[in-house]
């Protein structure tokens, strides 16, 4: 639990920190004069990818570095992880995310307050600064819950499918402990391909821990229940969607890929005997 706490803490510290740079740090510091654009999105996508890399390196040797309740649930479903440890891991992950969000806020409070003041808003109406910490759906979804939910299911399904592939030594898994880098690149790829739909939470702890912090820190209804001009009661979607998607991802891998790898391994072990040299 300590390893999951610290690994998730590192994940959120760098991930949320990268969003703080893109949303409030660069514009507020005078280092960026243009509006938020593609370059800022690249900062966020790569920031989250590298956050995953280093979070996994921190906790991987102790807890397996799930850092994500969807990963924990997916591994439990495929019987790679004991069910009795699921809830303790979830708790450690959410607490790690909450504490990391608080530390990012402590470092960027001045930039956040300046951004809110410049926009002539209050915290309760500042979706822009809230987005530093947690996710929300794009305006084109309207108040539909199905579009963002599908987005979270698909994004997390891809994540778990590729994690299963990257850690499966029967497949073409990377050697020399390089899989954290590859998993980080998976997160970068998801951010670049599905990120704008709903902020690619793909991790219930990543969203709920910081969301809970922003609720206590004054963002009000935007955080919980997750209500703004075009969405309402959104808080549950970045939790339920990733949990469903994670299970689907591991089941797809175990249904379509694992049986072939197992059969090939069995054939190699039970092949014709080689004559011993005389």
């Amino acid at each position: 639990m300590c390893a999951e706490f610290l690994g998730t803490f590192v994940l959120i510290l760098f991930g949320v920190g990268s969003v703080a740079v893109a949303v409030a740090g660069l514009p507020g510091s005078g280092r960026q004069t243009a509006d938020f654009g593609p370059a800022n999105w690249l900062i966020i996508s790569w920031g989250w990818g590298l956050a995953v890399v280093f979070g996994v390196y921190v906790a991987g040797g102790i807890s397996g570095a799930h850092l994500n309740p969807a990963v924990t649930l997916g591994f439990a479903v495929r019987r790679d992880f004991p069910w009795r440890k699921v809830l303790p891991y979830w708790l450690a992950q959410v607490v790690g995310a909450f504490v990391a969000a608080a530390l990012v806020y402590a470092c960027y409070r001045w930039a956040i307050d300046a951004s809110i003041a410049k926009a002539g808003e209050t915290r309760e109406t500042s979706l822009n600064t809230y987005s530093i910490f947690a996710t929300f759906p794009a305006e084109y979804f309207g108040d539909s819950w199905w579009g963002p939910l599908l987005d979270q299911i698909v994004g997390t399904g891809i994540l778990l499918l590729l994690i299963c592939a990257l850690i499966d030594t029967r497949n073409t898994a990377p050697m020399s402990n390089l899989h954290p880098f590859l998993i980080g690149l998976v997160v970068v790829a998801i951010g670049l391909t599905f990120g704008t739909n709903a902020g690619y939470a793909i991790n219930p702890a990543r969203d709920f821990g910081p969301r809970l912090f922003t609720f206590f820190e004054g963002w009000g209804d935007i955080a919980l229940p997750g209500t703004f001009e075009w969405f309402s009661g959104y808080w549950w979607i970045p939790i339920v969607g990733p949990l469903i998607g994670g299970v689907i991802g591991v089941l797809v891998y175990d249904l379509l890929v694992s049986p072939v790898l197992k059969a090939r391994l069995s054939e190699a072990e039970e092949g014709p005997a080689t004559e011993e040299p005389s």
Side-chain angles (χ1 to χ4, degrees), residues 117-196:
K118 184 177 180 180
E121 298 174 326
T122 63
R123 286 198 181 180
E124 292 85 352
T125 60
S126 181
L127 183 66
N128 191 46
T129 56
Y130 163 79
S131 71
I132 292 171
F133 299 95
T135 65
F136 64 92
E139 191 169 359
Y140 46 71
F141 285 120
D143 197 25
S144 167
W145 60 268
W146 169 239
L149 182 67
L150 176 63
D151 171 80
Q152 290 300 292
I153 291 172
V154 171
T156 315
I158 293 169
L159 175 66
L160 266 293
L161 172 69
L162 293 176
I163 286 175
C164 288
L166 289 169
I167 65 174
D168 191 346
T169 55
R170 302 169 304 174
N171 208 329
T172 54
M175 298 290 104
S176 301
N177 293 326
L178 286 177
H179 65 274
F181 279 102
L182 277 299
I183 294 171
L185 286 179
V186 171
V187 174
V188 173
I190 293 171
L192 295 177
T193 53
F194 290 93
T196 56

Side-chain angles (χ1 to χ4, degrees), residues 94 97-98 134 203-213 224 235 238-239:
V94 171
F98 182 96
N203 180 338
R206 170 266 175 276
D207 188 84
F208 186 70
R211 181 183 295 272
L212 194 60
F213 172 78
L224 289 171
W235 70 273
I239 297 174

